[in-house]
Amino acid sequence: MPEAPHHVPVLLEEAIQWLTVRPDGVYVDATTGLGGHTAAIAQRLATGLVIANDCDAESLEVARRNTAPWADRIRYRHGWFSTLPAALAEMGFDKVDGLLADLGPSYAQLTSGPRGFSFAADGPLDMRFDRSGGITAAEYLDRATYADLVRLFQEAGSERRISERVARAILQARPLRSTRELARLVEEAVPRRGRLHPATKIFMALRRAVNREDEELEALLAAAPEIVRPGGRVVVISFMSTEDRKVKRAFRDWIRQGRAVPLHKHVIRPSEQEVRANPAARSARLRAIEIR
Ligand SMILES: C[S@@+](CC[C@H](N)C(=O)[O-])C[C@H]1O[C@@H](n2cnc3c(N)ncnc32)[C@H](O)[C@@H]1O
């Protein structure tokens, strides 16, 4: 039998603690995934509600099953961060009591061959969080110019020389259709150094571009202080330093503009115990802020 998709929620206790869930509050989990954080919020509600949002309909289906015991307190919503304000208005919510975002892909998405995120599992070069629309990683590579690819790989932290070599190899080899094809191409173009597989940063860069992750995070950060009521909280968990930097800057700007008050001095990281139990948590960083 195929293994059921799973994902261990990261910084779960900390996220719930900083969100300060009230039994009668209305919360948005912008990244429900498989429902780990959503379930923890829902369990603390009496008359309140949690809006369980995700742009991945397949994950949302699993979340629905995983959170079934508390379904009377959950409203599931399939959609992107950028359309969240309109969706909340449509649902009749002017402001909510808190918003949580646990960024990036889930372990289940990342390790599924058919979803095409992983160079370790063969599958179609897809990488879309939302398979109901948008362009796949294969289509992205078909359309990209040499300059687009070099910039993309460099932004994801690859050296210029490596970015250029991989971009050139892609242009010569395309159309590329499978994760294995791309992984092999990168292995051939880039000598392996250290422990990190040479395809790691290339796959991450592509996934971020396909899902417009920078633009989506910016849209979420622009909307958050408008969506959350004064006294309510915004909690964001990031796994990449570029994302954490964006969150840190946005929070700092809100404080300067008098739109929010700080809650902690240093970024919150998982405990050694959590990292030992779930090594995937090691790069997680949590920031929380209170809206004024
Ligand atoms: C790290 S996982 C969340 C895991 C979840 N907290 C749990 O406990 O199962 C992030 C989720 O956010 C979703 N996601 C990423 N970017 C999104 C966006 N721009 N709009 C909506 N959902 C997004 C992904 O599809 C993924 O399911």
Side-chain angles (χ1 to χ4, degrees):
M1 216 165 72
E3 207 182 313
H6 72 284
H7 174 90
V8 181
V10 171
L11 288 165
L12 181 64
E13 289 310 320
E14 292 84 348
I16 297 304
Q17 178 207 324
W18 287 107
L19 206 55
T20 57
V21 179
R22 277 193 357 229
D24 60 345
V26 176
Y27 298 87
V28 174
D29 182 350
T31 53
T32 282
L34 305 192
H37 290 93
T38 303
I41 298 171
Q43 282 167 48
R44 285 160 178 81
L45 298 173
T47 54
L49 185 77
V50 51
I51 295 148
N53 180 81
D54 206 292
C55 59
D56 178 354
E58 293 154 64
S59 295
L60 213 50
E61 259 324 292
V62 180
R64 224 181 250 277
R65 291 202 294 275
N66 291 345
T67 57
W70 310 281
D72 58 336
R73 295 158 234 177
I74 304 176
R75 194 81 79 79
Y76 302 91
R77 188 245 168 191
H78 175 225
W80 293 91
F81 296 158
S82 46
T83 56
L84 200 48
L88 290 176
E90 223 168 88
M91 287 180 203
F93 298 109
D94 178 24
K95 301 260 184 201
V96 297
D97 297 286
L99 179 139
L100 170 68
D102 174 19
L103 302 173
S106 67
Y107 180 79
Q109 289 168 323
L110 212 51
T111 52
S112 147
R115 300 298 302 263
F117 289 104
S118 166
F119 55 82
D122 195 20
L125 206 47
D126 190 324
M127 299 196 189
R128 285 171 303 162
F129 286 152
D130 179 3
R131 287 210 274 190
S132 69
I135 65 161
T136 65
E139 287 162 344
Y140 183 91
L141 290 182
D142 285 348
R143 297 175 195 182
T145 64
Y146 173 74
D148 289 338
L149 294 177
V150 173
R151 191 175 348 101
L152 183 68
F153 300 149
Q154 270 194 277
E155 277 169 9
S158 291
E159 291 165 33
R160 178 159 196 100
R161 199 169 43 88
I162 289 177
S163 303
E164 288 173 349
R165 257 200 244 165
V166 175
R168 217 172 298 126
I170 289 173
L171 256 56
Q172 276 165 12
R174 67 187 185 190
L176 290 160
R177 290 293 172 257
S178 75
T179 52
R180 186 87 12 109
E181 267 181 282
L182 178 61
R184 206 168 293 144
L185 174 147
V186 178
E187 277 167 20
E188 281 166 14
V190 182
R192 188 169 186 151
R193 270 185 306 185
R195 279 176 40 215
L196 200 66
H197 189 285
T200 309
K201 286 180 180 168
I202 302 295
F203 270 64
M204 193 170 62
L206 255 178
R207 186 205 83 216
R208 289 175 51 72
V210 164
N211 295 293
R212 306 181 71 253
E213 288 180 50
D214 282 332
E215 294 88 336
E216 280 291 312
L217 177 56
E218 277 158 23
L220 185 72
L221 291 171
E226 307 293 331
I227 297 174
V228 177
R229 70 158 171 82
R233 293 187 171 182
V234 178
V235 177
V236 184
I237 304 171
S238 319
F239 291 81
M240 293 183 52
S241 49
T242 50
E243 287 173 342
D244 183 52
R245 225 174 293 130
K246 272 197 170 61
V247 177
K248 185 179 171 181
R249 281 199 201 124
F251 282 14
R252 193 192 53 203
D253 290 349
W254 302 350
I255 294 164
R256 279 192 190 144
Q257 295 156 3
R259 301 167 88 191
V261 284
L263 294 171
H264 53 80
K265 193 154 187 255
H266 300 292
V267 71
I268 291 136
R269 305 166 71 146
S271 64
E272 277 177 31
Q273 202 184 344
E274 177 170 4
V275 174
R276 227 176 294 126
N278 178 19
R282 70 188 171 282
S283 51
R285 302 284 179 272
L286 180 148
R287 292 185 190 272
I289 200 161
E290 191 166 298
I291 302 299
R292 282 176 80 156

